[in-house]
Amino acid sequence: MPLFDSLYNFARWLTRDESEAEDLVQECFAKALRGFSSFTPGTDFRAWMFRILRNTFLTSRTGLRAKLTQSLEEDEAEGESVAVTWETPESFALASATRDALQAALERLPAEYREVILLCDVEEMKYKDIAEVLSVPIGTVMSRIARGRKLLRQALAGERKQSPASAGKVDER
C-alpha cells in the first residue's frame, strides 16, 4: 500500500497508541478511496494523503482530546551496509540515551511545532506540502520549524546539563 509506513508513523505520533494509529490509517485510506474524485491530478498525492490523515485525527475522539503525540521506535537502518563497524556497548548506550532524549524532547514540544518537525525532518516533506497538509501559510510552516528546532535544541541542552554525569560535579566559581 502506498505511503502506509509513513502514514502509520505519523499516526503513531499523533495518537500515542498502536491500535488507534492502525484505525486512523485505515480510516484515512477509506476516506481517500471514497473521495478520490476530489484529488487534483498534478498535485502532490502524498501531501493529500497526509492532510486526510491529519484531518481525520483532528475530528476523531482522540484528536479532539488533544493528546500529546508519542514517538515511534526508530526504524532499523535499512539498506545501509557497512563493511566494518566500530560500535561498542558504550556507543550503543550513548546512541540509545541520545535517541531517548530526542524522543522525550519531541514529546514535550507543543503540537504545532511537533507536527512540522515530524513532517519536515522525519517525513522529509517540502515546506509547500507541509503548508498544504496543515492548511497554514508557508511562512507559518517556516517559522514553526525554526521555533520547534530551537525548542528542541534548548530541551536537549537542558538534558545535557542535568545528566547524571554532571550531577556529581561541583561548581568551582
Side-chain angles (χ1 to χ4, degrees), residues 74-141:
E74 285 192 357
D75 292 336
E76 296 295 324
E78 295 178 13
E80 294 181 29
S81 61
V82 178
V84 177
T85 62
W86 300 99
E87 295 167 335
T88 63
E90 293 82 7
S91 68
F92 282 120
L94 182 58
S96 177
T98 302
R99 182 181 63 241
D100 292 345
L102 180 58
Q103 289 178 345
L106 270 170
E107 288 179 2
R108 289 190 302 266
L109 278 181
E112 64 268 12
Y113 299 128
R114 189 174 41 243
E115 282 181 329
V116 295
I117 295 291
L118 291 170
L119 292 172
C120 179
D121 296 332
V122 176
E123 296 301 329
E124 299 178 346
M125 282 188 164
K126 295 177 181 173
Y127 292 175
K128 178 179 88 61
D129 297 333
I130 296 170
E132 183 180 326
V133 168
L134 301 179
S135 300
V136 297
I138 196 166
T140 301
V141 169

Side-chain angles (χ1 to χ4, degrees), residues 26-162:
Q26 182 177 357
E27 182 65 21
C28 171
F29 276 102
K31 285 183 176 184
L33 284 172
R34 285 193 304 266
F36 190 72
S37 62
S38 70
F39 176 70
T40 306
T43 61
D44 189 346
F45 178 74
R46 183 173 183 226
W48 185 71
M49 289 295 291
F50 271 86
R51 186 172 190 175
I52 292 171
L53 179 83
R54 181 174 181 268
N55 288 342
T56 302
F57 170 73
L58 291 175
T59 59
S60 71
R61 178 182 54 83
T62 305
L64 291 176
R65 285 189 288 161
K67 280 188 173 180
L68 296 175
T69 60
Q70 179 177 355
S71 65
L72 291 175
E73 300 279 327
E74 285 192 357
D75 292 336
E76 296 295 324
E78 295 178 13
E80 294 181 29
S81 61
V82 178
V84 177
T85 62
W86 300 99
E87 295 167 335
T88 63
E90 293 82 7
S91 68
F92 282 120
L94 182 58
S96 177
T98 302
R99 182 181 63 241
D100 292 345
L102 180 58
Q103 289 178 345
L106 270 170
E107 288 179 2
R108 289 190 302 266
L109 278 181
E112 64 268 12
Y113 299 128
R114 189 174 41 243
E115 282 181 329
V116 295
I117 295 291
L118 291 170
L119 292 172
C120 179
D121 296 332
V122 176
E123 296 301 329
E124 299 178 346
M125 282 188 164
K126 295 177 181 173
Y127 292 175
K128 178 179 88 61
D129 297 333
I130 296 170
E132 183 180 326
V133 168
L134 301 179
S135 300
V136 297
I138 196 166
T140 301
V141 169
M142 292 187 294
S143 68
R144 285 181 184 176
I145 288 171
R147 289 181 184 141
R149 288 177 178 163
K150 181 179 179 182
L151 289 171
L152 274 177
R153 280 191 299 275
Q154 290 171 343
L156 293 171
E159 292 279 331
R160 282 194 296 272
K161 287 178 186 175
Q162 298 172 3

